[in-house]
Amino acid sequence: MYITARERILLEILVHASYDVSHVQLAEATSVSVRTIQRDLKGLQRTVRFFGLNLIRNKDQTISLQGNKEELLNYLQSMETTEYTTEERQGLLLVRLLNSKEPIKLFSLGSELGVTTATVSADLDKTSRWLETYSLEIIRKRGYGIEIQGLETNKRRAMSGVLSSHLTEEAIYEAVYDNEVQGQIIERLLNIVDTAMIKDVLLTVRHVKEENFPHMVDQSLIALIVHATLVIERLRQGEPIYMDQDQLEALEQMEEYTLAVKLGRALEEAFSIDLPPEEIGYFVMHLRGARISGSNEIPFEEVNAELIGRIKQLIRGVEEELNVKLYDPSLVQDLFAHLKPALYRIRQEMKIANPLLDRLKQNYEELFNVTKRQAEIIFSPLLIPEEEIGFIVLHFGSTLERSKRSVELSALVICPSGIGSAKMLASRIEQEFPEVNSITNVSMFELGSYQMNNYDLIISTVKMENERNAFHVSPVLTKEEVRVIRLFIDSLQVERPTDIEEFPEYIERSPFDDIAELSAMMKAFLQSIHLFSSQAVWQGIEKSMQWLEGKGYVTRWQDVALTLRNREKVGGLAIPDTGLVLYHARSESAVTPFFLLIDLEEEMKLMSMADKKEMVERIILMVAPASLERYKLEFISYVSTLLIGSKQQTDIFQKGNQQEVKQMLEKECRDYLTMFIQKGEGPS
């Protein structure tokens, strides 16, 4: 079966998603428009049907895969991809040209990448603009071929840049420690830098790092490892290394020079090579440009008063524009630790990737724009690129989102993107989950030193396999990710304080709090909708309860089933003249309200609410937590009235499939929420 590169990305997203994915998210992931995604879905539907799956397209512009995904997942993992995404192809193109000593024919490049010469030509137009930032130029001559011209220094920086942007922390970790390589682009790039050598370089660099620069973040460590590996391979091939003599002399006067010498000597001993002075100079540049996390020993007020002054001006400017309070000594220190190497990188035209940039600009638009505007004023005439602005926004965002901690759970946070991302994620965890009072931040390379079973919760920005309490999230922690983690935390049956005097900040609630909570509850309620079939009533109820426990909606399914049995003893539950029976209750073991349907394989006679026997075809299960605010209970009551609402609604409950019932309830939820907002009422 032929699957394009974009289809591969879409399928990988959908097959791993535990929630409905929006058209916008798919468009962002594949760098195309929403309209293109909508066109692609028809072909995608045909592809998934081949694997016995159904592509569910919801009215709210979200998509999900329905069915057993195992066969599709196995196929995606085993397939040999013959087509690259645009970004992958351009990355390979750059590496090929930067690594070549001679011009390469256009036709040869097209053959290697499996595309037409016209596509290669278009890719060259785009990559040439990227190369300009490194003062490099693509030369194209008919009959001569294609080559990159410029200083060797700049070629080395560009090669390191393109490799580091594709060889992520997760990819390096998998290749070095798991002996697995996920993705053909990664496999081809790792052929440029030998995996075995990367592992040896990593061990050598880490040994020096632990003693001399322990707070370097994974992203900078990867760049340094890639650079050092390329150096060793070039030296072994007898290639000369160049650097302007004046630049080298300036680098030798910098404070990082001593560390660079230590690193060089360690590599010389490990690989039996002789590093020239120029290479020590390149190490100085990497160390000066490295991003440092968690350093608490920098006497920043004394070392760089001018930079501290500008940082304080930046904070004041953002505070005034947004009318918020940001200033905190730890924020100043964190920004200093980030900006000191960042400003050096900018002056040296050293590029840095920020994979969170697009999401930050979208989710924190006002904060991003204000920070960018203030940075342009404060640091003028130096222009701060948007990638660095994004990291500054992460620091500001983490400060804005700090909230009261509780005293219940411990969390291990694995976030290799740096202190800004780690703090942002930690603060989001604190804000959303007051039960978490202990947070430990680690990188992927430090993971082996920690016992994961010592933590109640593991939250990681890279995938963790075979850990029940591990959650793969983004550093900004989306609402859907919050919902999934919330269900898990609640399933731990943690006892929460109920005395309102312990939480005085909760006394005054805004109506917006109620709107947000009601909306979140509705979303979880709609996602719980599922259709089962069963030969008998209680066989179906117990099967569905076990399914709910696996999804995190209930903590002990046996308790909920017992509550429903006790409710059945009180009186009939069948709804007259509908063929429906409604099992409903409130239970301590219910985490959030849910709604299930069970079709009986044969009609059964059950006692009705009118104390008569009724023929029943479908069971409806609707359970809510024992403790639930009145305005939330009112919504649950409203849903129960829909069962005997209009004839059209009753018909859907009677005969509709899972999707039809869900679509009808989605509309009712939107209408109810609109009414709730217009009333502007909170809990009475």
Side-chain angles (χ1 to χ4, degrees):
M1 174 180 291
Y2 177 71
I3 294 178
T4 67
R6 191 160 66 236
E7 285 178 333
R8 169 169 55 90
I9 294 173
L10 296 175
L11 288 171
E12 286 176 347
I13 293 170
L14 292 170
V15 81
H16 288 103
S18 57
Y19 52 88
D20 294 350
V21 183
S22 71
H23 291 186
V24 173
Q25 289 172 315
L26 293 176
E28 289 176 350
T30 52
S31 302
V32 297
S33 68
V34 171
R35 183 172 296 180
T36 299
I37 291 297
Q38 292 168 341
R39 287 198 301 267
D40 287 347
L41 292 180
K42 290 183 180 179
L44 212 61
Q45 176 69 284
R46 290 192 295 271
T47 300
V48 300
R49 280 177 182 164
F50 180 82
F51 295 94
L53 299 170
N54 190 26
L55 189 68
I56 304 299
R57 302 173 66 176
N58 304 316
K59 289 183 177 179
D60 62 352
Q61 300 283 290
T62 59
I63 310 158
S64 63
L65 281 180
Q66 188 179 64
N68 189 332
K69 305 173 186 176
E70 186 174 355
E71 185 180 354
L72 174 59
L73 180 60
N74 291 336
Y75 179 79
L76 290 173
Q77 290 175 343
S78 64
M79 67 183 291
E80 288 290 335
T81 307
T82 57
E83 184 180 339
Y84 302 104
T85 65
T86 302
E87 291 76 14
E88 289 174 343
R89 192 176 61 245
Q90 290 172 2
L92 289 172
L93 180 63
L94 282 167
V95 168
R96 182 72 174 87
L97 290 170
L98 287 165
N99 207 40
S100 176
K101 302 179 182 67
E102 299 175 351
I104 307 174
K105 300 290 185 182
L106 187 64
F107 176 79
S108 298
L109 291 171
S111 298
E112 289 180 27
L113 298 172
V115 295
T116 65
T117 55
T119 299
V120 175
S121 184
D123 285 340
L124 289 172
D125 291 337
K126 294 178 181 178
T127 54
S128 64
R129 290 192 289 271
W130 184 83
L131 286 168
E132 286 174 3
T133 62
Y134 288 91
S135 300
L136 296 172
E137 181 182 6
I138 290 182
I139 303 299
R140 289 186 267 186
K141 294 180 181 178
R142 187 180 299 275
Y144 176 75
I146 303 162
E147 67 177 354
I148 295 175
Q149 288 187 355
L151 295 175
E152 179 68 17
T153 303
N154 297 334
K155 286 184 180 181
R156 287 158 55 81
R157 285 167 47 207
M159 174 68 91
S160 182
V162 69
L163 287 174
S164 299
S165 66
H166 285 283
L167 296 178
T168 62
E169 296 91 344
E170 192 172 0
I172 293 289
Y173 187 87
E174 287 176 347
V176 170
Y177 292 104
D178 297 338
N179 295 318
E180 294 182 1
V181 179
Q182 301 293 331
Q184 195 177 18
I185 171 89
I186 302 301
E187 186 176 2
R188 286 193 60 173
L189 290 177
L190 285 173
N191 286 333
I192 303 296
V193 281
D194 180 64
T195 306
M197 185 180 291
I198 286 181
K199 184 172 184 177
D200 292 338
V201 172
L202 172 61
L203 293 173
T204 304
V205 173
R206 279 187 63 191
H207 181 73
V208 179
K209 169 182 178 290
E210 288 169 5
E211 183 178 347
N212 297 282
F213 41 96
H215 302 294
M216 179 184 287
V217 300
D218 282 0
Q219 187 182 40
S220 297
L221 179 61
I222 291 297
L224 181 57
I225 290 166
V226 168
H227 172 82
T229 306
L230 290 172
V231 167
I232 294 167
E233 289 193 345
R234 290 196 172 201
L235 285 173
R236 286 180 171 177
Q237 294 169 10
E239 295 184 22
I241 294 173
Y242 301 102
M243 176 177 283
D244 179 80
Q245 194 61 32
D246 291 338
Q247 183 183 18
L248 176 59
E249 290 177 2
L251 289 169
E252 289 174 346
Q253 303 305 312
M254 294 179 177
E255 57 182 311
E256 289 82 5
Y257 182 74
T258 302
L259 294 181
V261 170
K262 287 184 180 180
L263 178 61
R265 298 296 171 261
L267 290 169
E268 286 179 330
E269 183 177 345
F271 293 93
S272 301
I273 56 173
D274 292 320
L275 288 173
E278 289 83 357
E279 195 48 61
I280 303 300
Y282 282 116
F283 287 155
V284 173
M285 293 176 65
H286 271 277
L287 292 170
R288 283 189 64 82
R291 292 173 52 226
I292 307 299
S293 69
S295 178
N296 295 317
E297 301 177 355
I298 303 175
F300 56 87
E301 292 284 4
E302 301 171 10
V303 171
N304 199 325
E306 181 185 355
L307 178 55
I308 292 299
R310 294 198 182 199
I311 288 171
K312 291 180 177 179
Q313 289 177 32
L314 176 63
I315 294 172
R316 283 196 298 269
V318 174
E319 283 181 330
E320 290 173 3
E321 278 208 58
L322 294 178
N323 193 26
V324 296
K325 185 181 183 305
L326 277 171
Y327 185 82
D328 181 85
S330 66
L331 173 63
V332 177
Q333 181 167 343
D334 290 343
L335 285 175
F336 177 84
H338 173 79
L339 282 170
K340 185 177 180 182
L343 295 176
Y344 174 80
R345 285 195 301 268
I346 294 167
R347 292 192 186 96
Q348 296 296 319
E349 298 182 353
M350 297 172 67
K351 302 300 175 184
I352 186 168
N354 187 341
L356 306 175
L357 182 59
D358 290 339
R359 184 175 291 181
L360 287 167
K361 291 171 74 173
Q362 179 179 347
N363 294 356
Y364 296 87
E365 181 179 6
E366 185 178 14
L367 178 58
F368 187 93
N369 291 336
V370 168
T371 303
K372 182 179 180 181
R373 185 161 50 248
Q374 288 295 324
E376 288 175 351
I377 298 170
I378 302 293
F379 293 100
S380 177
L382 198 62
L383 181 63
I384 310 295
E386 288 194 338
E387 288 79 7
E388 297 290 0
I389 296 295
F391 285 117
I392 296 172
V393 167
L394 283 172
H395 287 286
F396 285 158
S398 67
T399 301
L400 287 171
E401 298 198 17
R402 287 184 187 131
S403 62
K404 184 179 178 64
R405 292 182 178 181
S406 186
V407 288
E408 304 289 349
L409 304 175
S410 62
L412 182 69
V413 176
I414 304 162
C415 188
S417 296
I419 187 172
S421 300
K423 278 208 166 188
M424 180 70 151
L425 180 54
S427 293
R428 289 281 288 143
I429 294 168
E430 292 169 7
Q431 179 193 42
E432 297 291 347
F433 313 113
E435 301 90 341
V436 177
N437 81 308
S438 171
I439 297 178
T440 303
N441 285 307
V442 300
S443 75
M444 285 293 291
F445 297 110
E446 299 170 325
L447 197 53
S449 304
Y450 292 82
Q451 292 293 324
M452 287 189 283
N453 57 7
N454 291 339
Y455 298 87
D456 301 297
L457 198 61
I458 299 168
I459 299 177
S460 173
T461 57
V462 294
K463 290 181 181 178
M464 302 291 295
E465 301 293 340
N466 303 322
E467 293 291 337
R468 176 181 174 270
N469 59 340
F471 297 89
H472 180 208
V473 301
S474 60
V476 293
L477 204 62
T478 67
K479 290 181 180 178
E480 180 59 32
E481 291 163 351
V482 168
R483 185 192 72 80
V484 172
I485 297 171
R486 164 55 57 201
L487 287 175
F488 174 79
I489 287 178
D490 289 342
S491 74
L492 297 176
Q493 294 184 309
V494 179
E495 294 184 3
R496 293 174 177 77
T498 55
D499 186 355
I500 194 69
E501 293 180 0
E502 293 185 39
F503 299 96
E505 69 273 24
Y506 290 168
I507 295 175
E508 294 185 7
R509 286 180 59 86
S510 162
F512 292 105
D513 295 327
D514 303 331
I515 293 167
E517 288 186 14
L518 180 60
S519 176
M521 187 192 77
M522 285 178 172
K523 184 173 183 180
F525 180 79
L526 291 170
Q527 289 175 333
S528 73
I529 297 172
H530 199 81
L531 176 62
F532 295 87
S533 63
S534 178
Q535 291 181 336
V537 173
W538 282 101
Q539 180 189 44
I541 290 176
E542 291 183 357
K543 175 184 175 183
S544 63
M545 288 298 103
Q546 292 173 41
W547 180 84
L548 283 167
E549 183 174 313
K551 294 293 183 181
Y553 279 88
V554 301
T555 53
R556 276 182 51 84
W557 71 266
Q558 298 93 335
D559 292 347
V560 181
L562 179 61
T563 302
L564 292 170
R565 281 189 182 275
N566 292 335
R567 175 63 186 85
E568 186 183 46
K569 295 175 183 177
V570 175
L573 298 173
I575 303 172
D577 303 320
T578 63
L580 299 170
V581 58
L582 173 63
Y583 280 82
H584 60 288
R586 293 170 66 184
S587 170
E588 294 284 353
S589 288
V591 173
T592 188
F594 58 81
F595 187 99
L596 294 179
L597 305 130
I598 304 171
D599 280 346
L600 296 171
E601 294 178 8
E602 295 183 5
E603 285 187 316
M604 292 185 178
K605 275 190 176 183
L606 295 175
M607 190 62 69
S608 77
M609 297 175 181
D611 291 328
K612 296 180 181 179
K613 290 284 186 175
E614 288 280 343
M615 296 302 294
V616 171
E617 298 176 290
R618 174 172 282 184
I619 303 168
I620 291 179
L621 282 175
M622 193 160 63
V623 178
S627 299
L628 202 64
E629 293 90 337
R630 185 180 65 82
Y631 70 102
K632 294 180 182 177
L633 281 174
E634 287 176 352
F635 165 72
I636 301 300
S637 299
Y638 171 74
V639 172
S640 65
T641 65
L642 298 176
L643 298 172
I644 51 173
S646 68
K647 184 179 184 304
Q648 181 183 10
Q649 289 172 330
T650 304
D651 287 344
I652 293 175
F653 283 120
Q654 285 176 325
K655 303 293 184 183
N657 59 32
Q658 177 178 315
Q659 191 59 28
E660 289 168 339
V661 173
K662 185 174 182 179
Q663 287 175 351
M664 188 262 287
L665 287 176
E666 281 178 345
K667 179 183 180 303
E668 294 298 332
C669 284
R670 286 194 295 268
D671 292 345
Y672 189 95
L673 191 61
T674 300
M675 178 187 67
F676 188 84
I677 293 170
Q678 290 173 344
K679 287 170 61 180
E681 295 180 356
S684 300

